[in-house]
Amino acid sequence: MNRPWLQLSIGILAMIAIANLQYGWTLFVDPLHQKFGWTKAAIQVAFTLFVLTETWPVPLDGYLIDRFGPRPMLLLGGVLVGISWVGNAYADTLVWLYANSIVGGIGAGIVYGASIGNALKWFPHRRGLAAGLTSAAFGAGSALTVLPISNMIRDDGFQTAFFWFGLVQGAVILVCAFGMRPPTLAAAGEPSATSSPISTDFSWSEMIRTPLFWLLYVMFVMVAMGGLMVAAQIGTMARSFGVADAPIAIFGSTIAALPLALSLDRILNGLTRPFFGWISDHWGRENTMFIAFTLEGFAIMLLLNYAHIPIMFVLLTGLTFFAWGEIYSLFPALCTDVFGRKFAATNYGLLYTAKGTASLMVPIGSLVQEHYGSWQPVLQIAIAFDLITAFLALLVLKPMASRFIAARSRV
């Protein structure tokens, strides 16, 4: 088991097993509405609770993973994930549904923290690629099971789908738990798993006292906010621009613009993570951030001007997600570069809460759109944030991180 690529594969498999909790949820909303008569807004509260509990407890999860190792925590995560969806199969009240979502969010956060943290520790010289491949499994892993879940819901009902996929997903994570372990001796030919760009490993309490951490946190919030605004409102945007149901011919068939955009966005949101992670391993994290964030800013700028054209809406939202999803490989890699690998799960867990902070800003985008009756000011805010963070990465973060690493190496 002391082989980096095997450990990476185990983490990827565990991440695939939790992907449905976030990205497969949409398949159950209409069936729940039809059976119980709950409003869709009330049902979606369960999704919000899942995202919050999947994000905010990650620092505590990371601390426990760093302290006790990934195996016991991953066992707990697998049990919670299984309980969540199996419980949904029997939930007949909103309170029960919400409780199951909280349980699933906590379990998914544990799996996310363990898988990303272990990848960062096993690949000190290829952290961008390792974190990218692992996070890509969460971003695109549900693509493997969308059709089976849809078919089971259609043929046997959503409760059957919740029950069996809950069991399978939980079982997969439990199996992964027995194989996952922190690095001891790297396999022959692999870089040493104990090496680090700096000589000192920072604890979370030491890390949060550094200006560098807070610069990373603010940048993460700013760039995540723009992408989350687009992700959360893409359906509403498509209808506002009048392209949601516009037919697009592709490979001899005709598909409506919105579902085509959603499919393409999911694929590119997964592919971008290892792609830009690999680039950052060779060109530098900050240089790659500048390229990606600038690309996202221009993609949204073009979207603002050409979203009323169906094919352009599809292509430009896809480009936006391709330039956005890499934050989940670049930020964890850079965080571990500068603060060390020993407490990687805890430290990145704290930085990852920036996603939760950014998600709280998303409703502000809706209020701005309602006030002005246009998506233009919302998208302009996203463009500004992307370009500001791009130049912060190159002109402020890069020299600050270099000085920080040099200073710690002399300790």
Side-chain angles (χ1 to χ4, degrees), residues 8 24 26 47 63 122 125 128 139 148 162 165 179 182 190 198 220 244 264 283 320 324 333 377 392 397:
L8 183 66
T26 186
F47 179 80
Y63 170 79
W122 275 101
H125 301 304
F162 265 138
F165 276 89
E190 291 288 342
I198 60 177
F220 201 149
L264 182 63
W283 290 2
T320 299
W324 176 72
L392 282 175
L397 178 62

Side-chain angles (χ1 to χ4, degrees), residues 110-402:
I110 292 172
V111 176
Y112 188 97
S115 300
I116 291 288
N118 219 40
L120 294 171
K121 292 178 181 180
W122 275 101
F123 287 85
H125 301 304
R126 283 172 284 191
R127 287 191 178 114
L129 177 61
L133 289 170
T134 306
S135 62
F138 183 64
S142 63
L144 300 173
T145 51
V146 166
L147 187 58
I149 290 178
S150 298
N151 291 339
M152 186 173 289
I153 292 174
R154 181 195 63 205
D155 298 336
D156 303 305
F158 74 90
Q159 291 164 311
T160 300
F162 265 138
F163 182 85
W164 287 109
F165 276 89
L167 286 181
V168 171
Q169 289 162 178
V172 169
I173 296 169
L174 292 178
V175 171
C176 291
F178 287 104
M180 186 177 288
R181 60 185 59 178
T184 51
L185 297 176
E190 291 288 342
S192 170
T194 60
S195 64
S196 176
I198 60 177
S199 59
T200 302
D201 292 298
F202 279 61
S203 68
W204 70 268
S205 58
E206 294 170 327
M207 180 184 69
I208 64 174
R209 291 197 293 267
T210 66
L212 180 58
F213 169 77
W214 291 108
L215 175 61
L216 285 170
Y217 195 93
V218 170
M219 290 176 60
F220 201 149
V221 170
M222 290 176 68
V223 74
M225 191 186 309
L228 287 173
M229 281 183 180
V230 177
Q233 308 289 357
I234 186 171
T236 305
M237 286 181 182
R239 295 181 183 91
S240 297
F241 290 118
V243 299
D245 299 317
I248 295 178
I250 181 172
F251 301 124
S253 60
T254 301
I255 306 175
L258 179 56
L260 179 60
L262 291 172
S263 299
L264 182 63
D265 295 345
R266 182 174 297 184
I267 293 170
L268 293 178
N269 189 31
L271 291 178
T272 184
R273 304 179 189 204
F275 175 76
F276 277 111
W278 177 82
I279 289 178
S280 75
D281 289 335
H282 294 81
W283 290 2
R285 314 288 184 217
E286 301 90 349
N287 295 336
T288 307
M289 285 180 174
F290 176 78
I291 295 170
F293 300 164
T294 301
L295 178 61
E296 183 183 349
F298 279 103
I300 298 176
M301 192 179 302
L302 291 171
L303 180 65
L304 184 60
N305 291 282
Y306 298 102
H308 61 283
I309 303 173
I311 187 62
M312 294 301 292
F313 179 86
V314 172
L315 295 177
L316 291 174
T317 54
L319 182 60
T320 299
F321 280 96
F322 181 75
W324 176 72
E326 90 294 323
I327 61 176
Y328 301 109
S329 57
L330 299 185
F331 279 100
L334 182 57
C335 181
T336 308
D337 287 344
V338 296
F339 296 115
R341 76 169 188 94
K342 183 177 181 181
F343 305 108
T346 307
N347 292 342
Y348 176 58
L350 275 168
L351 184 58
Y352 185 63
T353 64
K355 176 186 174 183
T357 302
S359 71
L360 296 176
M361 307 292 182
V362 171
I364 297 176
S366 298
L367 294 175
V368 172
Q369 190 275 334
E370 291 176 2
H371 179 74
Y372 289 98
S374 169
W375 286 107
Q376 183 169 341
V378 178
L379 295 180
Q380 286 175 338
I381 292 172
I383 293 167
F385 283 164
D386 285 331
L387 296 181
I388 289 171
T389 52
F391 283 96
L392 282 175
L394 195 63
L395 302 179
V396 181
L397 178 62
K398 185 176 182 179
M400 184 183 289
S402 296

